[in-house]
Amino acid sequence: MRQFEEFEEKTIARKNIFKGHVIEVVVDDVLLPDGKTATRELVLHKGAVGIIPITNEGKILLVKQFRKPLEKVILEIPAGKIDPGEETMPEKTARRELEEETGFQADTWTYVSSMYLSPGFSNEKMYMYYAEKLARVENPLAQDDDEVLELYELTLQEAKAEIEKGTICDSKTLYAIQYWELQLVK
Amino acid sequence: MRQFEEFEEKTIARKNIFKGHVIEVVVDDVLLPDGKTATRELVLHKGAVGIIPITNEGKILLVKQFRKPLEKVILEIPAGKIDPGEETMPEKTARRELEEETGFQADTWTYVSSMYLSPGFSNEKMYMYYAEKLARVENPLAQDDDEVLELYELTLQEAKAEIEKGTICDSKTLYAIQYWELQLVK
């Protein structure tokens, strides 16, 4: 079994490329374990949450939205970026995002796992929660004003049909639906 | 149900920020459906494949590698970028990457799904395959010369222990292990 030193890529130099609202881009020159050098293009991200919300009727709550990188409208679990000040309490972000995006609150929150979404070039980490005992809020937190969302409640079979059609097509939502199915079959 | 036009964000202007070997970064000014404008930070990517390789002993084949964006060593399913010329045949990429990263070939290939890894800012799409009937190749394709990999074969229980420890921690691998578990419990 190799030791950490036999894997580690030491940063020799960093070039700052871009600092935006969502991402920061840098290029590192690295020293490989064998003494060669290489460059690494990195997208730095402040982290996010995803919520697997199951209604009292046993359906999953999904949001339909336009995704500019894909130039299409897709169905996803509610999710969102961790705001400044929320870094140490992702469940707070999850509760906020569920209410903002769906108008629902949940009574039961279960931490599922955290996951890096694209570790080859990005440090974006998503904390995933399973939310049950949902109730619609009378005056929910407002949506972000640059988001247009439409709410859907699907059975597992309906969700699988949307996967077949390609409307459900992102890794966090595909993971969420598998996780839900495993809860049902176990 | 809203129509596409009620979601679509039309590009008004695009600023090219960075063009690297792995990613390209642009910032779009967009016109929202309500007439307001917003900016979208986009990371463009040529796509990738992931392989869920199950050995004849019923174990999953994983590779350990250093991931610069995370500054740590993690365990992942074999995966890799689609090379120029492979765009229309991701299974070819999957066969190549499995051999390069593990030294194994597979007899049975099943397409699982494709997934966008982080659709909020990136168009990176991963094609996922389930690979069975594995055999070690005598003279396998060489690894990329800037990659240091170590091979592991884990049972489902061992894989779950690595998830608990945080060594398995990326969305494609977490998805892959759930997919495998669903094959076993069904």
Side-chain angles (χ1 to χ4, degrees):
Chain A
M1 203 190 299
R2 287 196 175 98
Q3 301 305 305
F4 181 73
E5 299 68 37
E6 296 172 76
F7 287 104
E8 193 189 4
E9 302 176 354
K10 289 204 179 69
T11 305
I12 306 166
R14 166 163 293 189
K15 199 188 293 175
N16 294 303
I17 304 289
F18 174 70
K19 197 175 171 105
H21 297 289
V22 179
I23 57 167
E24 186 178 341
V25 181
V26 302
V27 176
D28 282 3
D29 291 328
V30 300
L31 181 65
L32 301 175
D34 66 1
K36 290 181 191 158
T37 58
T39 63
R40 298 288 179 239
E41 301 163 6
L42 309 180
V43 173
L44 308 178
H45 187 283
K46 293 192 165 40
V49 301
I51 304 113
I52 312 172
I54 306 299
T55 70
N56 300 337
E57 294 74 40
K59 296 183 178 182
I60 193 166
L61 213 56
L62 298 176
V63 292
K64 196 178 220 180
Q65 61 186 314
F66 183 80
R67 289 304 202 173
K68 190 64 187 168
L70 321 182
E71 293 288 350
K72 65 178 186 175
V73 176
I74 69 174
L75 266 176
E76 296 170 64
I77 57 168
K81 291 185 292 294
I82 293 174
D83 277 350
E86 293 176 338
E87 293 84 355
T88 59
M89 33 191 168
E91 189 183 310
K92 188 179 167 187
T93 309
R95 288 174 183 266
R96 178 178 57 71
E97 287 289 348
L98 179 66
E99 185 173 336
E100 284 179 9
E101 294 203 340
T102 71
F104 278 80
Q105 289 179 349
D107 246 19
T108 308
W109 288 85
T110 310
Y111 172 69
V112 173
S113 63
S114 67
M115 55 185 77
Y116 293 100
L117 297 183
S118 191
F121 67 81
S122 166
N123 70 347
E124 185 187 8
K125 186 178 189 175
M126 177 169 279
Y127 296 85
M128 188 77 78
Y129 294 88
Y130 195 66
E132 297 167 290
K133 303 221 165 82
L134 301 186
R136 212 178 279 270
V137 184
E138 277 207 20
N139 295 299
L141 298 169
Q143 283 177 17
D144 289 346
D145 63 2
D146 65 348
E147 280 184 345
V148 178
L149 300 176
E150 193 171 67
L151 201 59
Y152 283 76
E153 297 182 22
L154 301 187
T155 64
L156 181 61
Q157 288 317 312
E158 289 166 345
K160 287 186 175 184
E162 296 298 332
I163 293 172
E164 282 300 310
K165 282 197 270 176
T167 326
I168 293 176
C169 58
D170 81 297
S171 64
K172 69 178 176 306
T173 307
L174 291 167
Y175 173 88
I177 288 167
Q178 280 182 338
Y179 181 87
W180 180 34
E181 184 171 11
L182 277 167
Q183 302 307 304
L184 298 175
V185 298
K186 267 178 182 171
Chain B
M1 205 190 298
R2 287 196 176 97
Q3 301 305 304
F4 181 73
E5 298 69 36
E6 297 171 75
F7 287 104
E8 192 189 4
E9 303 176 353
K10 289 203 177 73
T11 305
I12 307 166
R14 166 163 291 190
K15 198 187 297 177
N16 294 304
I17 305 289
F18 173 70
K19 198 174 172 111
H21 297 288
V22 179
I23 57 169
E24 185 177 343
V25 180
V26 303
V27 176
D28 281 3
D29 292 328
V30 299
L31 181 65
L32 301 175
D34 66 1
K36 291 180 191 159
T37 58
T39 63
R40 299 288 180 238
E41 300 162 7
L42 309 180
V43 172
L44 308 178
H45 188 283
K46 293 190 165 41
V49 301
I51 305 114
I52 312 173
I54 306 299
T55 69
N56 299 338
E57 293 74 39
K59 295 183 179 184
I60 193 165
L61 213 56
L62 299 175
V63 292
K64 197 177 218 180
Q65 62 185 314
F66 182 80
R67 288 304 201 173
K68 189 65 188 169
L70 322 182
E71 293 289 349
K72 64 177 186 177
V73 176
I74 69 175
L75 267 176
E76 295 170 64
I77 56 168
K81 292 185 291 292
I82 293 173
D83 277 350
E86 294 176 339
E87 293 83 356
T88 57
M89 32 190 170
E91 189 182 308
K92 188 179 169 190
T93 309
R95 289 174 182 268
R96 178 177 58 71
E97 286 288 349
L98 179 66
E99 186 173 335
E100 285 179 8
E101 294 204 340
T102 71
F104 279 80
Q105 289 179 350
D107 247 19
T108 309
W109 287 85
T110 312
Y111 173 69
V112 173
S113 64
S114 67
M115 57 185 76
Y116 294 100
L117 297 184
S118 191
F121 67 81
S122 166
N123 71 347
E124 184 186 8
K125 186 178 189 174
M126 176 170 280
Y127 297 84
M128 187 78 76
Y129 294 89
Y130 196 66
E132 296 166 290
K133 303 222 165 85
L134 301 187
R136 212 179 279 270
V137 184
E138 276 204 25
N139 294 300
L141 298 170
Q143 284 177 16
D144 288 345
D145 62 3
D146 66 348
E147 279 185 345
V148 178
L149 300 176
E150 192 172 66
L151 202 59
Y152 283 75
E153 297 183 21
L154 301 186
T155 64
L156 181 60
Q157 288 317 312
E158 287 166 345
K160 286 186 174 184
E162 297 298 333
I163 293 172
E164 282 301 311
K165 282 198 268 176
T167 325
I168 293 176
C169 58
D170 81 297
S171 64
K172 70 178 175 306
T173 307
L174 290 167
Y175 174 89
I177 289 168
Q178 281 190 160
Y179 181 86
W180 181 34
E181 183 171 10
L182 278 167
Q183 303 307 302
L184 297 176
V185 299
K186 265 177 185 170

